[in-house]
Amino acid sequence: MNIASLIDHSVLKPTSTVQDVKDGAAIALKYQTAAYCIRPSDVPLAAKLLAASEVKVCTVIGFPHGTTDTTSKAFEAAEAVRNGAHEVDMVINIGWMLSGDLVAVEDDIRQVVNAARSVNDTTCVKVILETAFLSREQIVKGCELSEAAGADFVKTSTGFAPEGATVENIALMRATVGDRLGVKASGGIRTLEQVEALIAAGASRVGLSGTAEILN
């Protein structure tokens, strides 16, 4: 298995500098990761640095809290794709999910999907559920709403919650979406053993900030 081909290398800390973004792109290129995930303001630079490669440019929408209003999320997604993003990872409105407003959650996802694909219909959309705050039933429902709204992936975490990806939640998400959607594990993954266990449980992508250390 080529583990690097399943990794989204990430530089998402608010304190990351321009040099950090450049260094992250170099790591993504060195290991030929599936994607390089950066903040929306870094998309033009990442797109330039990765233009001659197969590494996809990925960014985050409504990050990290998910509470940006839907119109703003949709605009942010479309603008990111215009700037060179191939993939967008959006955060659901966690408060709406916890409140049981499932219609609003699904509409929020659908509008981001539609906005991103209005610019480029091949855009891959991943939906961050922030599983640390959800029950098993809510994780299942979040997966179902993401699929109904047209997303390509469901994803565990932003990396800013108390807990990140777990084998249990990845297995639950994979069981819910079958082979119809991808499943991305992210948040708190720091060892090769964790990566391998999450892939074995059903993850088809793994978000990492410590890519070089783990692969080395």
Side-chain angles (χ1 to χ4, degrees), residues 88-116:
V88 295
D89 292 15
M90 68 156 291
V91 188
I92 65 165
N93 190 305
I94 303 157
W96 290 350
M97 175 62 79
L98 294 174
S99 300
D101 195 347
L102 305 183
V103 172
V105 173
E106 183 178 338
D107 181 65
D108 189 56
I109 300 168
R110 179 175 285 108
Q111 288 200 42
V112 170
V113 170
N114 291 345

mmCIF file with all atom_site columns, all heavy atoms in Angstrom, residues 88-116:
data_model
loop_
_atom_site.group_PDB
_atom_site.id
_atom_site.type_symbol
_atom_site.label_atom_id
_atom_site.label_alt_id
_atom_site.label_comp_id
_atom_site.label_asym_id
_atom_site.label_entity_id
_atom_site.label_seq_id
_atom_site.pdbx_PDB_ins_code
_atom_site.Cartn_x
_atom_site.Cartn_y
_atom_site.Cartn_z
_atom_site.occupancy
_atom_site.B_iso_or_equiv
_atom_site.pdbx_formal_charge
_atom_site.auth_seq_id
_atom_site.auth_comp_id
_atom_site.auth_asym_id
_atom_site.auth_atom_id
_atom_site.pdbx_PDB_model_num
ATOM 1   N N   . VAL A 1 88  ? -12.580 20.875 -1.406 1.00 0.00 ? 88  VAL A N   1
ATOM 2   C CA  . VAL A 1 88  ? -12.944 21.733 -0.279 1.00 0.00 ? 88  VAL A CA  1
ATOM 3   C C   . VAL A 1 88  ? -13.504 20.869 0.847  1.00 0.00 ? 88  VAL A C   1
ATOM 4   O O   . VAL A 1 88  ? -14.317 19.981 0.618  1.00 0.00 ? 88  VAL A O   1
ATOM 5   C CB  . VAL A 1 88  ? -13.965 22.830 -0.675 1.00 0.00 ? 88  VAL A CB  1
ATOM 6   C CG1 . VAL A 1 88  ? -13.347 23.799 -1.667 1.00 0.00 ? 88  VAL A CG1 1
ATOM 7   C CG2 . VAL A 1 88  ? -15.245 22.249 -1.250 1.00 0.00 ? 88  VAL A CG2 1
ATOM 8   N N   . ASP A 1 89  ? -13.003 21.120 2.047  1.00 0.00 ? 89  ASP A N   1
ATOM 9   C CA  . ASP A 1 89  ? -13.455 20.405 3.245  1.00 0.00 ? 89  ASP A CA  1
ATOM 10  C C   . ASP A 1 89  ? -14.281 21.378 4.084  1.00 0.00 ? 89  ASP A C   1
ATOM 11  O O   . ASP A 1 89  ? -13.738 22.292 4.700  1.00 0.00 ? 89  ASP A O   1
ATOM 12  C CB  . ASP A 1 89  ? -12.261 19.910 4.059  1.00 0.00 ? 89  ASP A CB  1
ATOM 13  C CG  . ASP A 1 89  ? -11.465 18.813 3.364  1.00 0.00 ? 89  ASP A CG  1
ATOM 14  O OD1 . ASP A 1 89  ? -11.645 18.612 2.151  1.00 0.00 ? 89  ASP A OD1 1
ATOM 15  O OD2 . ASP A 1 89  ? -10.635 18.162 4.048  1.00 0.00 ? 89  ASP A OD2 1
ATOM 16  N N   . MET A 1 90  ? -15.597 21.201 4.100  1.00 0.00 ? 90  MET A N   1
ATOM 17  C CA  . MET A 1 90  ? -16.477 22.135 4.801  1.00 0.00 ? 90  MET A CA  1
ATOM 18  C C   . MET A 1 90  ? -16.892 21.592 6.159  1.00 0.00 ? 90  MET A C   1
ATOM 19  O O   . MET A 1 90  ? -17.080 20.394 6.328  1.00 0.00 ? 90  MET A O   1
ATOM 20  C CB  . MET A 1 90  ? -17.720 22.428 3.966  1.00 0.00 ? 90  MET A CB  1
ATOM 21  C CG  . MET A 1 90  ? -18.676 21.267 3.805  1.00 0.00 ? 90  MET A CG  1
ATOM 22  S SD  . MET A 1 90  ? -20.372 21.773 3.440  1.00 0.00 ? 90  MET A SD  1
ATOM 23  C CE  . MET A 1 90  ? -20.887 22.523 4.982  1.00 0.00 ? 90  MET A CE  1
ATOM 24  N N   . VAL A 1 91  ? -17.041 22.489 7.125  1.00 0.00 ? 91  VAL A N   1
ATOM 25  C CA  . VAL A 1 91  ? -17.490 22.103 8.464  1.00 0.00 ? 91  VAL A CA  1
ATOM 26  C C   . VAL A 1 91  ? -19.000 22.297 8.546  1.00 0.00 ? 91  VAL A C   1
ATOM 27  O O   . VAL A 1 91  ? -19.519 23.357 8.174  1.00 0.00 ? 91  VAL A O   1
ATOM 28  C CB  . VAL A 1 91  ? -16.811 22.961 9.551  1.00 0.00 ? 91  VAL A CB  1
ATOM 29  C CG1 . VAL A 1 91  ? -17.145 22.420 10.942 1.00 0.00 ? 91  VAL A CG1 1
ATOM 30  C CG2 . VAL A 1 91  ? -15.302 23.017 9.343  1.00 0.00 ? 91  VAL A CG2 1
ATOM 31  N N   . ILE A 1 92  ? -19.705 21.275 9.002  1.00 0.00 ? 92  ILE A N   1
ATOM 32  C CA  . ILE A 1 92  ? -21.150 21.426 9.184  1.00 0.00 ? 92  ILE A CA  1
ATOM 33  C C   . ILE A 1 92  ? -21.420 22.436 10.298 1.00 0.00 ? 92  ILE A C   1
ATOM 34  O O   . ILE A 1 92  ? -20.553 22.748 11.106 1.00 0.00 ? 92  ILE A O   1
ATOM 35  C CB  . ILE A 1 92  ? -21.849 20.088 9.526  1.00 0.00 ? 92  ILE A CB  1
ATOM 36  C CG1 . ILE A 1 92  ? -21.387 19.560 10.899 1.00 0.00 ? 92  ILE A CG1 1
ATOM 37  C CG2 . ILE A 1 92  ? -21.649 19.065 8.435  1.00 0.00 ? 92  ILE A CG2 1
ATOM 38  C CD1 . ILE A 1 92  ? -22.286 18.467 11.466 1.00 0.00 ? 92  ILE A CD1 1
ATOM 39  N N   . ASN A 1 93  ? -22.652 22.921 10.334 1.00 0.00 ? 93  ASN A N   1
ATOM 40  C CA  . ASN A 1 93  ? -23.071 23.745 11.467 1.00 0.00 ? 93  ASN A CA  1
ATOM 41  C C   . ASN A 1 93  ? -23.391 22.789 12.614 1.00 0.00 ? 93  ASN A C   1
ATOM 42  O O   . ASN A 1 93  ? -24.459 22.166 12.657 1.00 0.00 ? 93  ASN A O   1
ATOM 43  C CB  . ASN A 1 93  ? -24.283 24.598 11.100 1.00 0.00 ? 93  ASN A CB  1
ATOM 44  C CG  . ASN A 1 93  ? -24.583 25.623 12.176 1.00 0.00 ? 93  ASN A CG  1
ATOM 45  O OD1 . ASN A 1 93  ? -24.748 25.276 13.339 1.00 0.00 ? 93  ASN A OD1 1
ATOM 46  N ND2 . ASN A 1 93  ? -24.651 26.880 11.786 1.00 0.00 ? 93  ASN A ND2 1
ATOM 47  N N   . ILE A 1 94  ? -22.432 22.648 13.509 1.00 0.00 ? 94  ILE A N   1
ATOM 48  C CA  . ILE A 1 94  ? -22.540 21.653 14.575 1.00 0.00 ? 94  ILE A CA  1
ATOM 49  C C   . ILE A 1 94  ? -23.713 21.960 15.503 1.00 0.00 ? 94  ILE A C   1
ATOM 50  O O   . ILE A 1 94  ? -24.423 21.061 15.966 1.00 0.00 ? 94  ILE A O   1
ATOM 51  C CB  . ILE A 1 94  ? -21.223 21.586 15.367 1.00 0.00 ? 94  ILE A CB  1
ATOM 52  C CG1 . ILE A 1 94  ? -20.061 21.260 14.426 1.00 0.00 ? 94  ILE A CG1 1
ATOM 53  C CG2 . ILE A 1 94  ? -21.293 20.532 16.468 1.00 0.00 ? 94  ILE A CG2 1
ATOM 54  C CD1 . ILE A 1 94  ? -18.711 21.703 14.951 1.00 0.00 ? 94  ILE A CD1 1
ATOM 55  N N   . GLY A 1 95  ? -23.950 23.233 15.767 1.00 0.00 ? 95  GLY A N   1
ATOM 56  C CA  . GLY A 1 95  ? -25.076 23.621 16.627 1.00 0.00 ? 95  GLY A CA  1
ATOM 57  C C   . GLY A 1 95  ? -26.410 23.203 16.041 1.00 0.00 ? 95  GLY A C   1
ATOM 58  O O   . GLY A 1 95  ? -27.311 22.763 16.772 1.00 0.00 ? 95  GLY A O   1
ATOM 59  N N   . TRP A 1 96  ? -26.550 23.344 14.715 1.00 0.00 ? 96  TRP A N   1
ATOM 60  C CA  . TRP A 1 96  ? -27.789 22.908 14.063 1.00 0.00 ? 96  TRP A CA  1
ATOM 61  C C   . TRP A 1 96  ? -27.952 21.395 14.181 1.00 0.00 ? 96  TRP A C   1
ATOM 62  O O   . TRP A 1 96  ? -29.050 20.900 14.429 1.00 0.00 ? 96  TRP A O   1
ATOM 63  C CB  . TRP A 1 96  ? -27.798 23.313 12.591 1.00 0.00 ? 96  TRP A CB  1
ATOM 64  C CG  . TRP A 1 96  ? -27.945 24.783 12.363 1.00 0.00 ? 96  TRP A CG  1
ATOM 65  C CD1 . TRP A 1 96  ? -28.258 25.743 13.280 1.00 0.00 ? 96  TRP A CD1 1
ATOM 66  C CD2 . TRP A 1 96  ? -27.778 25.465 11.112 1.00 0.00 ? 96  TRP A CD2 1
ATOM 67  N NE1 . TRP A 1 96  ? -28.298 26.983 12.687 1.00 0.00 ? 96  TRP A NE1 1
ATOM 68  C CE2 . TRP A 1 96  ? -28.012 26.848 11.358 1.00 0.00 ? 96  TRP A CE2 1
ATOM 69  C CE3 . TRP A 1 96  ? -27.446 25.065 9.828  1.00 0.00 ? 96  TRP A CE3 1
ATOM 70  C CZ2 . TRP A 1 96  ? -27.928 27.810 10.357 1.00 0.00 ? 96  TRP A CZ2 1
ATOM 71  C CZ3 . TRP A 1 96  ? -27.358 26.019 8.815  1.00 0.00 ? 96  TRP A CZ3 1
ATOM 72  C CH2 . TRP A 1 96  ? -27.606 27.380 9.084  1.00 0.00 ? 96  TRP A CH2 1
ATOM 73  N N   . MET A 1 97  ? -26.851 20.664 14.000 1.00 0.00 ? 97  MET A N   1
ATOM 74  C CA  . MET A 1 97  ? -26.929 19.210 14.128 1.00 0.00 ? 97  MET A CA  1
ATOM 75  C C   . MET A 1 97  ? -27.345 18.816 15.543 1.00 0.00 ? 97  MET A C   1
ATOM 76  O O   . MET A 1 97  ? -28.219 17.962 15.741 1.00 0.00 ? 97  MET A O   1
ATOM 77  C CB  . MET A 1 97  ? -25.585 18.578 13.760 1.00 0.00 ? 97  MET A CB  1
ATOM 78  C CG  . MET A 1 97  ? -25.522 17.078 13.981 1.00 0.00 ? 97  MET A CG  1
ATOM 79  S SD  . MET A 1 97  ? -26.699 16.133 12.974 1.00 0.00 ? 97  MET A SD  1
ATOM 80  C CE  . MET A 1 97  ? -25.829 16.138 11.410 1.00 0.00 ? 97  MET A CE  1
ATOM 81  N N   . LEU A 1 98  ? -26.736 19.438 16.540 1.00 0.00 ? 98  LEU A N   1
ATOM 82  C CA  . LEU A 1 98  ? -27.065 19.113 17.930 1.00 0.00 ? 98  LEU A CA  1
ATOM 83  C C   . LEU A 1 98  ? -28.494 19.526 18.284 1.00 0.00 ? 98  LEU A C   1
ATOM 84  O O   . LEU A 1 98  ? -29.109 18.945 19.181 1.00 0.00 ? 98  LEU A O   1
ATOM 85  C CB  . LEU A 1 98  ? -26.073 19.794 18.875 1.00 0.00 ? 98  LEU A CB  1
ATOM 86  C CG  . LEU A 1 98  ? -24.622 19.297 18.788 1.00 0.00 ? 98  LEU A CG  1
ATOM 87  C CD1 . LEU A 1 98  ? -23.716 20.151 19.660 1.00 0.00 ? 98  LEU A CD1 1
ATOM 88  C CD2 . LEU A 1 98  ? -24.525 17.824 19.191 1.00 0.00 ? 98  LEU A CD2 1
ATOM 89  N N   . SER A 1 99  ? -29.008 20.527 17.565 1.00 0.00 ? 99  SER A N   1
ATOM 90  C CA  . SER A 1 99  ? -30.383 20.984 17.809 1.00 0.00 ? 99  SER A CA  1
ATOM 91  C C   . SER A 1 99  ? -31.407 20.144 17.062 1.00 0.00 ? 99  SER A C   1
ATOM 92  O O   . SER A 1 99  ? -32.613 20.309 17.267 1.00 0.00 ? 99  SER A O   1
ATOM 93  C CB  . SER A 1 99  ? -30.529 22.447 17.366 1.00 0.00 ? 99  SER A CB  1
ATOM 94  O OG  . SER A 1 99  ? -29.642 23.282 18.082 1.00 0.00 ? 99  SER A OG  1
ATOM 95  N N   . GLY A 1 100 ? -30.939 19.267 16.180 1.00 0.00 ? 100 GLY A N   1
ATOM 96  C CA  . GLY A 1 100 ? -31.852 18.429 15.410 1.00 0.00 ? 100 GLY A CA  1
ATOM 97  C C   . GLY A 1 100 ? -32.435 19.102 14.192 1.00 0.00 ? 100 GLY A C   1
ATOM 98  O O   . GLY A 1 100 ? -33.398 18.593 13.613 1.00 0.00 ? 100 GLY A O   1
ATOM 99  N N   . ASP A 1 101 ? -31.853 20.241 13.766 1.00 0.00 ? 101 ASP A N   1
ATOM 100 C CA  . ASP A 1 101 ? -32.355 20.936 12.579 1.00 0.00 ? 101 ASP A CA  1
ATOM 101 C C   . ASP A 1 101 ? -31.692 20.348 11.341 1.00 0.00 ? 101 ASP A C   1
ATOM 102 O O   . ASP A 1 101 ? -30.812 20.946 10.707 1.00 0.00 ? 101 ASP A O   1
ATOM 103 C CB  . ASP A 1 101 ? -32.079 22.437 12.675 1.00 0.00 ? 101 ASP A CB  1
ATOM 104 C CG  . ASP A 1 101 ? -32.882 23.238 11.657 1.00 0.00 ? 101 ASP A CG  1
ATOM 105 O OD1 . ASP A 1 101 ? -33.441 22.622 10.731 1.00 0.00 ? 101 ASP A OD1 1
ATOM 106 O OD2 . ASP A 1 101 ? -32.937 24.471 11.791 1.00 0.00 ? 101 ASP A OD2 1
ATOM 107 N N   . LEU A 1 102 ? -32.115 19.150 10.991 1.00 0.00 ? 102 LEU A N   1
ATOM 108 C CA  . LEU A 1 102 ? -31.452 18.377 9.946  1.00 0.00 ? 102 LEU A CA  1
ATOM 109 C C   . LEU A 1 102 ? -31.678 18.975 8.556  1.00 0.00 ? 102 LEU A C   1
ATOM 110 O O   . LEU A 1 102 ? -30.807 18.857 7.684  1.00 0.00 ? 102 LEU A O   1
ATOM 111 C CB  . LEU A 1 102 ? -31.928 16.928 9.985  1.00 0.00 ? 102 LEU A CB  1
ATOM 112 C CG  . LEU A 1 102 ? -31.777 16.229 11.342 1.00 0.00 ? 102 LEU A CG  1
ATOM 113 C CD1 . LEU A 1 102 ? -32.206 14.774 11.241 1.00 0.00 ? 102 LEU A CD1 1
ATOM 114 C CD2 . LEU A 1 102 ? -30.353 16.336 11.862 1.00 0.00 ? 102 LEU A CD2 1
ATOM 115 N N   . VAL A 1 103 ? -32.819 19.606 8.357  1.00 0.00 ? 103 VAL A N   1
ATOM 116 C CA  . VAL A 1 103 ? -33.095 20.241 7.062  1.00 0.00 ? 103 VAL A CA  1
ATOM 117 C C   . VAL A 1 103 ? -32.069 21.350 6.803  1.00 0.00 ? 103 VAL A C   1
ATOM 118 O O   . VAL A 1 103 ? -31.518 21.475 5.704  1.00 0.00 ? 103 VAL A O   1
ATOM 119 C CB  . VAL A 1 103 ? -34.525 20.807 7.017  1.00 0.00 ? 103 VAL A CB  1
ATOM 120 C CG1 . VAL A 1 103 ? -34.748 21.640 5.758  1.00 0.00 ? 103 VAL A CG1 1
ATOM 121 C CG2 . VAL A 1 103 ? -35.540 19.667 7.081  1.00 0.00 ? 103 VAL A CG2 1
ATOM 122 N N   . ALA A 1 104 ? -31.794 22.138 7.833  1.00 0.00 ? 104 ALA A N   1
ATOM 123 C CA  . ALA A 1 104 ? -30.825 23.227 7.698  1.00 0.00 ? 104 ALA A CA  1
ATOM 124 C C   . ALA A 1 104 ? -29.415 22.691 7.470  1.00 0.00 ? 104 ALA A C   1
ATOM 125 O O   . ALA A 1 104 ? -28.646 23.238 6.674  1.00 0.00 ? 104 ALA A O   1
ATOM 126 C CB  . ALA A 1 104 ? -30.858 24.129 8.924  1.00 0.00 ? 104 ALA A CB  1
ATOM 127 N N   . VAL A 1 105 ? -29.052 21.618 8.166  1.00 0.00 ? 105 VAL A N   1
ATOM 128 C CA  . VAL A 1 105 ? -27.722 21.023 8.002  1.00 0.00 ? 105 VAL A CA  1
ATOM 129 C C   . VAL A 1 105 ? -27.538 20.525 6.574  1.00 0.00 ? 105 VAL A C   1
ATOM 130 O O   . VAL A 1 105 ? -26.513 20.795 5.924  1.00 0.00 ? 105 VAL A O   1
ATOM 131 C CB  . VAL A 1 105 ? -27.507 19.864 9.002  1.00 0.00 ? 105 VAL A CB  1
ATOM 132 C CG1 . VAL A 1 105 ? -26.194 19.145 8.704  1.00 0.00 ? 105 VAL A CG1 1
ATOM 133 C CG2 . VAL A 1 105 ? -27.498 20.383 10.430 1.00 0.00 ? 105 VAL A CG2 1
ATOM 134 N N   . GLU A 1 106 ? -28.537 19.816 6.061  1.00 0.00 ? 106 GLU A N   1
ATOM 135 C CA  . GLU A 1 106 ? -28.436 19.299 4.690  1.00 0.00 ? 106 GLU A CA  1
ATOM 136 C C   . GLU A 1 106 ? -28.379 20.431 3.668  1.00 0.00 ? 106 GLU A C   1
ATOM 137 O O   . GLU A 1 106 ? -27.592 20.378 2.709  1.00 0.00 ? 106 GLU A O   1
ATOM 138 C CB  . GLU A 1 106 ? -29.615 18.376 4.380  1.00 0.00 ? 106 GLU A CB  1
ATOM 139 C CG  . GLU A 1 106 ? -29.531 17.759 2.990  1.00 0.00 ? 106 GLU A CG  1
ATOM 140 C CD  . GLU A 1 106 ? -30.667 16.795 2.700  1.00 0.00 ? 106 GLU A CD  1
ATOM 141 O OE1 . GLU A 1 106 ? -31.285 16.277 3.667  1.00 0.00 ? 106 GLU A OE1 1
ATOM 142 O OE2 . GLU A 1 106 ? -30.938 16.552 1.508  1.00 0.00 ? 106 GLU A OE2 1
ATOM 143 N N   . ASP A 1 107 ? -29.185 21.452 3.864  1.00 0.00 ? 107 ASP A N   1
ATOM 144 C CA  . ASP A 1 107 ? -29.179 22.587 2.928  1.00 0.00 ? 107 ASP A CA  1
ATOM 145 C C   . ASP A 1 107 ? -27.837 23.310 2.943  1.00 0.00 ? 107 ASP A C   1
ATOM 146 O O   . ASP A 1 107 ? -27.329 23.731 1.894  1.00 0.00 ? 107 ASP A O   1
ATOM 147 C CB  . ASP A 1 107 ? -30.301 23.562 3.291  1.00 0.00 ? 107 ASP A CB  1
ATOM 148 C CG  . ASP A 1 107 ? -30.348 24.744 2.336  1.00 0.00 ? 107 ASP A CG  1
ATOM 149 O OD1 . ASP A 1 107 ? -30.627 24.535 1.141  1.00 0.00 ? 107 ASP A OD1 1
ATOM 150 O OD2 . ASP A 1 107 ? -30.099 25.888 2.779  1.00 0.00 ? 107 ASP A OD2 1
ATOM 151 N N   . ASP A 1 108 ? -27.245 23.443 4.123  1.00 0.00 ? 108 ASP A N   1
ATOM 152 C CA  . ASP A 1 108 ? -25.939 24.076 4.275  1.00 0.00 ? 108 ASP A CA  1
ATOM 153 C C   . ASP A 1 108 ? -24.891 23.331 3.441  1.00 0.00 ? 108 ASP A C   1
ATOM 154 O O   . ASP A 1 108 ? -24.107 23.937 2.699  1.00 0.00 ? 108 ASP A O   1
ATOM 155 C CB  . ASP A 1 108 ? -25.569 24.063 5.755  1.00 0.00 ? 108 ASP A CB  1
ATOM 156 C CG  . ASP A 1 108 ? -24.331 24.883 6.106  1.00 0.00 ? 108 ASP A CG  1
ATOM 157 O OD1 . ASP A 1 108 ? -24.311 26.083 5.791  1.00 0.00 ? 108 ASP A OD1 1
ATOM 158 O OD2 . ASP A 1 108 ? -23.415 24.326 6.723  1.00 0.00 ? 108 ASP A OD2 1
ATOM 159 N N   . ILE A 1 109 ? -24.903 22.014 3.550  1.00 0.00 ? 109 ILE A N   1
ATOM 160 C CA  . ILE A 1 109 ? -23.959 21.192 2.777  1.00 0.00 ? 109 ILE A CA  1
ATOM 161 C C   . ILE A 1 109 ? -24.242 21.316 1.284  1.00 0.00 ? 109 ILE A C   1
ATOM 162 O O   . ILE A 1 109 ? -23.327 21.525 0.478  1.00 0.00 ? 109 ILE A O   1
ATOM 163 C CB  . ILE A 1 109 ? -24.041 19.718 3.216  1.00 0.00 ? 109 ILE A CB  1
ATOM 164 C CG1 . ILE A 1 109 ? -23.691 19.564 4.694  1.00 0.00 ? 109 ILE A CG1 1
ATOM 165 C CG2 . ILE A 1 109 ? -23.123 18.847 2.350  1.00 0.00 ? 109 ILE A CG2 1
ATOM 166 C CD1 . ILE A 1 109 ? -24.037 18.194 5.277  1.00 0.00 ? 109 ILE A CD1 1
ATOM 167 N N   . ARG A 1 110 ? -25.511 21.186 0.921  1.00 0.00 ? 110 ARG A N   1
ATOM 168 C CA  . ARG A 1 110 ? -25.871 21.204 -0.505 1.00 0.00 ? 110 ARG A CA  1
ATOM 169 C C   . ARG A 1 110 ? -25.473 22.516 -1.167 1.00 0.00 ? 110 ARG A C   1
ATOM 170 O O   . ARG A 1 110 ? -24.983 22.526 -2.305 1.00 0.00 ? 110 ARG A O   1
ATOM 171 C CB  . ARG A 1 110 ? -27.366 20.955 -0.671 1.00 0.00 ? 110 ARG A CB  1
ATOM 172 C CG  . ARG A 1 110 ? -27.803 20.978 -2.143 1.00 0.00 ? 110 ARG A CG  1
ATOM 173 C CD  . ARG A 1 110 ? -29.256 20.626 -2.324 1.00 0.00 ? 110 ARG A CD  1
ATOM 174 N NE  . ARG A 1 110 ? -29.469 19.188 -2.145 1.00 0.00 ? 110 ARG A NE  1
ATOM 175 C CZ  . ARG A 1 110 ? -30.065 18.638 -1.094 1.00 0.00 ? 110 ARG A CZ  1
ATOM 176 N NH1 . ARG A 1 110 ? -30.541 19.418 -0.122 1.00 0.00 ? 110 ARG A NH1 1
ATOM 177 N NH2 . ARG A 1 110 ? -30.203 17.336 -1.012 1.00 0.00 ? 110 ARG A NH2 1
ATOM 178 N N   . GLN A 1 111 ? -25.668 23.618 -0.473 1.00 0.00 ? 111 GLN A N   1
ATOM 179 C CA  . GLN A 1 111 ? -25.322 24.907 -1.082 1.00 0.00 ? 111 GLN A CA  1
ATOM 180 C C   . GLN A 1 111 ? -23.819 25.046 -1.301 1.00 0.00 ? 111 GLN A C   1
ATOM 181 O O   . GLN A 1 111 ? -23.379 25.622 -2.299 1.00 0.00 ? 111 GLN A O   1
ATOM 182 C CB  . GLN A 1 111 ? -25.858 26.056 -0.232 1.00 0.00 ? 111 GLN A CB  1
ATOM 183 C CG  . GLN A 1 111 ? -27.379 26.198 -0.305 1.00 0.00 ? 111 GLN A CG  1
ATOM 184 C CD  . GLN A 1 111 ? -27.859 27.570 0.121  1.00 0.00 ? 111 GLN A CD  1
ATOM 185 O OE1 . GLN A 1 111 ? -27.253 28.574 -0.243 1.00 0.00 ? 111 GLN A OE1 1
ATOM 186 N NE2 . GLN A 1 111 ? -28.941 27.607 0.879  1.00 0.00 ? 111 GLN A NE2 1
ATOM 187 N N   . VAL A 1 112 ? -23.026 24.504 -0.401 1.00 0.00 ? 112 VAL A N   1
ATOM 188 C CA  . VAL A 1 112 ? -21.568 24.520 -0.590 1.00 0.00 ? 112 VAL A CA  1
ATOM 189 C C   . VAL A 1 112 ? -21.181 23.621 -1.766 1.00 0.00 ? 112 VAL A C   1
ATOM 190 O O   . VAL A 1 112 ? -20.361 24.006 -2.620 1.00 0.00 ? 112 VAL A O   1
ATOM 191 C CB  . VAL A 1 112 ? -20.846 24.091 0.696  1.00 0.00 ? 112 VAL A CB  1
ATOM 192 C CG1 . VAL A 1 112 ? -19.360 23.867 0.435  1.00 0.00 ? 112 VAL A CG1 1
ATOM 193 C CG2 . VAL A 1 112 ? -21.040 25.139 1.788  1.00 0.00 ? 112 VAL A CG2 1
ATOM 194 N N   . VAL A 1 113 ? -21.761 22.442 -1.820 1.00 0.00 ? 113 VAL A N   1
ATOM 195 C CA  . VAL A 1 113 ? -21.495 21.526 -2.939 1.00 0.00 ? 113 VAL A CA  1
ATOM 196 C C   . VAL A 1 113 ? -21.835 22.193 -4.268 1.00 0.00 ? 113 VAL A C   1
ATOM 197 O O   . VAL A 1 113 ? -21.031 22.202 -5.212 1.00 0.00 ? 113 VAL A O   1
ATOM 198 C CB  . VAL A 1 113 ? -22.299 20.216 -2.776 1.00 0.00 ? 113 VAL A CB  1
ATOM 199 C CG1 . VAL A 1 113 ? -22.216 19.370 -4.046 1.00 0.00 ? 113 VAL A CG1 1
ATOM 200 C CG2 . VAL A 1 113 ? -21.802 19.421 -1.575 1.00 0.00 ? 113 VAL A CG2 1
ATOM 201 N N   . ASN A 1 114 ? -23.018 22.775 -4.342 1.00 0.00 ? 114 ASN A N   1
ATOM 202 C CA  . ASN A 1 114 ? -23.463 23.392 -5.593 1.00 0.00 ? 114 ASN A CA  1
ATOM 203 C C   . ASN A 1 114 ? -22.599 24.585 -5.977 1.00 0.00 ? 114 ASN A C   1
ATOM 204 O O   . ASN A 1 114 ? -22.277 24.785 -7.161 1.00 0.00 ? 114 ASN A O   1
ATOM 205 C CB  . ASN A 1 114 ? -24.925 23.816 -5.479 1.00 0.00 ? 114 ASN A CB  1
ATOM 206 C CG  . ASN A 1 114 ? -25.879 22.640 -5.418 1.00 0.00 ? 114 ASN A CG  1
ATOM 207 O OD1 . ASN A 1 114 ? -25.503 21.512 -5.740 1.00 0.00 ? 114 ASN A OD1 1
ATOM 208 N ND2 . ASN A 1 114 ? -27.112 22.873 -4.999 1.00 0.00 ? 114 ASN A ND2 1
ATOM 209 N N   . ALA A 1 115 ? -22.204 25.372 -4.987 1.00 0.00 ? 115 ALA A N   1
ATOM 210 C CA  . ALA A 1 115 ? -21.383 26.548 -5.268 1.00 0.00 ? 115 ALA A CA  1
ATOM 211 C C   . ALA A 1 115 ? -20.010 26.148 -5.795 1.00 0.00 ? 115 ALA A C   1
ATOM 212 O O   . ALA A 1 115 ? -19.507 26.711 -6.776 1.00 0.00 ? 115 ALA A O   1
ATOM 213 C CB  . ALA A 1 115 ? -21.240 27.403 -4.014 1.00 0.00 ? 115 ALA A CB  1
ATOM 214 N N   . ALA A 1 116 ? -19.401 25.177 -5.140 1.00 0.00 ? 116 ALA A N   1
ATOM 215 C CA  . ALA A 1 116 ? -18.070 24.722 -5.578 1.00 0.00 ? 116 ALA A CA  1
ATOM 216 C C   . ALA A 1 116 ? -18.136 24.148 -6.986 1.00 0.00 ? 116 ALA A C   1
ATOM 217 O O   . ALA A 1 116 ? -17.286 24.456 -7.839 1.00 0.00 ? 116 ALA A O   1
ATOM 218 C CB  . ALA A 1 116 ? -17.528 23.686 -4.601 1.00 0.00 ? 116 ALA A CB  1
#
